mmCIF file of all heavy atoms in Angstrom:
data_model
loop_
_atom_site.group_PDB
_atom_site.id
_atom_site.type_symbol
_atom_site.label_atom_id
_atom_site.label_comp_id
_atom_site.label_asym_id
_atom_site.label_seq_id
_atom_site.Cartn_x
_atom_site.Cartn_y
_atom_site.Cartn_z
ATOM 1 N N ALA A 234 30.638 1.670 -6.722
ATOM 2 C CA ALA A 234 30.394 2.831 -7.566
ATOM 3 C C ALA A 234 28.924 2.956 -8.005
ATOM 4 O O ALA A 234 28.368 3.961 -8.011
ATOM 5 C CB ALA A 234 31.297 2.848 -8.873
ATOM 6 N N ALA A 235 28.377 1.712 -8.297
ATOM 7 C CA ALA A 235 26.994 1.714 -8.676
ATOM 8 C C ALA A 235 26.044 2.152 -7.583
ATOM 9 O O ALA A 235 25.061 2.881 -7.684
ATOM 10 C CB ALA A 235 26.536 0.304 -9.192
ATOM 11 N N LEU A 236 26.360 1.614 -6.335
ATOM 12 C CA LEU A 236 25.603 2.034 -5.113
ATOM 13 C C LEU A 236 25.699 3.602 -4.950
ATOM 14 O O LEU A 236 24.662 4.125 -4.538
ATOM 15 C CB LEU A 236 26.107 1.277 -3.911
ATOM 16 C CG LEU A 236 25.696 -0.264 -3.791
ATOM 17 C CD1 LEU A 236 26.459 -0.863 -2.767
ATOM 18 C CD2 LEU A 236 24.267 -0.292 -3.656
ATOM 19 N N CYS A 237 26.793 4.156 -5.083
ATOM 20 C CA CYS A 237 27.073 5.564 -4.867
ATOM 21 C C CYS A 237 26.203 6.303 -5.943
ATOM 22 O O CYS A 237 25.550 7.339 -5.617
ATOM 23 C CB CYS A 237 28.532 5.968 -4.929
ATOM 24 S SG CYS A 237 29.380 5.304 -3.510
ATOM 25 N N ALA A 238 26.403 5.913 -7.187
ATOM 26 C CA ALA A 238 25.554 6.584 -8.231
ATOM 27 C C ALA A 238 24.117 6.431 -8.108
ATOM 28 O O ALA A 238 23.361 7.507 -8.317
ATOM 29 C CB ALA A 238 26.026 5.991 -9.679
ATOM 30 N N VAL A 239 23.635 5.354 -7.676
ATOM 31 C CA VAL A 239 22.200 5.125 -7.520
ATOM 32 C C VAL A 239 21.694 5.972 -6.372
ATOM 33 O O VAL A 239 20.641 6.679 -6.401
ATOM 34 C CB VAL A 239 21.823 3.591 -7.230
ATOM 35 C CG1 VAL A 239 20.543 3.437 -6.616
ATOM 36 C CG2 VAL A 239 22.012 2.770 -8.520
ATOM 37 N N SER A 240 22.488 6.056 -5.279
ATOM 38 C CA SER A 240 22.134 6.856 -4.087
ATOM 39 C C SER A 240 22.116 8.303 -4.476
ATOM 40 O O SER A 240 21.155 9.071 -4.056
ATOM 41 C CB SER A 240 23.075 6.567 -2.941
ATOM 42 O OG SER A 240 22.911 5.221 -2.558
ATOM 43 N N ALA A 241 23.087 8.834 -5.185
ATOM 44 C CA ALA A 241 23.125 10.177 -5.531
ATOM 45 C C ALA A 241 21.956 10.604 -6.409
ATOM 46 O O ALA A 241 21.340 11.581 -6.180
ATOM 47 C CB ALA A 241 24.438 10.477 -6.203
ATOM 48 N N LEU A 242 21.694 9.756 -7.381
ATOM 49 C CA LEU A 242 20.547 10.062 -8.270
ATOM 50 C C LEU A 242 19.215 9.934 -7.538
ATOM 51 O O LEU A 242 18.309 10.753 -7.734
ATOM 52 C CB LEU A 242 20.585 9.100 -9.535
ATOM 53 C CG LEU A 242 19.669 9.503 -10.653
ATOM 54 C CD1 LEU A 242 19.793 10.940 -11.083
ATOM 55 C CD2 LEU A 242 19.853 8.498 -11.843
ATOM 56 N N TRP A 243 19.112 8.969 -6.666
ATOM 57 C CA TRP A 243 17.887 8.802 -6.037
ATOM 58 C C TRP A 243 17.545 9.960 -5.063
ATOM 59 O O TRP A 243 16.534 10.493 -4.930
ATOM 60 C CB TRP A 243 17.994 7.447 -5.087
ATOM 61 C CG TRP A 243 16.744 7.117 -4.324
ATOM 62 C CD1 TRP A 243 15.595 6.785 -4.821
ATOM 63 C CD2 TRP A 243 16.704 7.177 -2.867
ATOM 64 N NE1 TRP A 243 14.699 6.592 -3.722
ATOM 65 C CE2 TRP A 243 15.400 6.711 -2.596
ATOM 66 C CE3 TRP A 243 17.574 7.332 -1.841
ATOM 67 C CZ2 TRP A 243 14.866 6.611 -1.284
ATOM 68 C CZ3 TRP A 243 17.126 7.195 -0.578
ATOM 69 C CH2 TRP A 243 15.719 6.880 -0.238
ATOM 70 N N PHE A 244 18.611 10.416 -4.305
ATOM 71 C CA PHE A 244 18.441 11.567 -3.414
ATOM 72 C C PHE A 244 18.115 12.856 -4.200
ATOM 73 O O PHE A 244 17.399 13.682 -3.748
ATOM 74 C CB PHE A 244 19.604 11.803 -2.509
ATOM 75 C CG PHE A 244 19.646 10.908 -1.349
ATOM 76 C CD1 PHE A 244 20.744 9.981 -1.142
ATOM 77 C CD2 PHE A 244 18.614 10.791 -0.408
ATOM 78 C CE1 PHE A 244 20.822 9.180 -0.062
ATOM 79 C CE2 PHE A 244 18.672 9.950 0.702
ATOM 80 C CZ PHE A 244 19.619 9.213 0.863
ATOM 81 N N THR A 245 18.678 12.981 -5.308
ATOM 82 C CA THR A 245 18.555 14.133 -6.163
ATOM 83 C C THR A 245 17.110 14.201 -6.711
ATOM 84 O O THR A 245 16.469 15.218 -6.704
ATOM 85 C CB THR A 245 19.506 14.208 -7.349
ATOM 86 O OG1 THR A 245 20.854 14.167 -6.935
ATOM 87 C CG2 THR A 245 19.318 15.348 -8.280
ATOM 88 N N LEU A 246 16.656 13.021 -7.154
ATOM 89 C CA LEU A 246 15.230 12.925 -7.579
ATOM 90 C C LEU A 246 14.159 13.176 -6.374
ATOM 91 O O LEU A 246 13.205 13.728 -6.563
ATOM 92 C CB LEU A 246 14.965 11.659 -8.279
ATOM 93 C CG LEU A 246 15.359 11.490 -9.717
ATOM 94 C CD1 LEU A 246 15.230 10.161 -10.134
ATOM 95 C CD2 LEU A 246 14.624 12.485 -10.566
ATOM 96 N N LEU A 247 14.646 12.679 -5.221
ATOM 97 C CA LEU A 247 13.738 12.880 -4.077
ATOM 98 C C LEU A 247 13.663 14.378 -3.741
ATOM 99 O O LEU A 247 12.630 14.888 -3.365
ATOM 100 C CB LEU A 247 14.303 12.101 -2.881
ATOM 101 C CG LEU A 247 13.509 11.919 -1.626
ATOM 102 C CD1 LEU A 247 12.267 11.123 -2.026
ATOM 103 C CD2 LEU A 247 14.308 11.164 -0.583
#
Side-chain angles (χ1 to χ4, degrees):
L236 287 167
C237 291
V239 164
S240 298
L242 190 53
W243 182 66
F244 281 121
T245 301
L246 281 170
L247 195 60

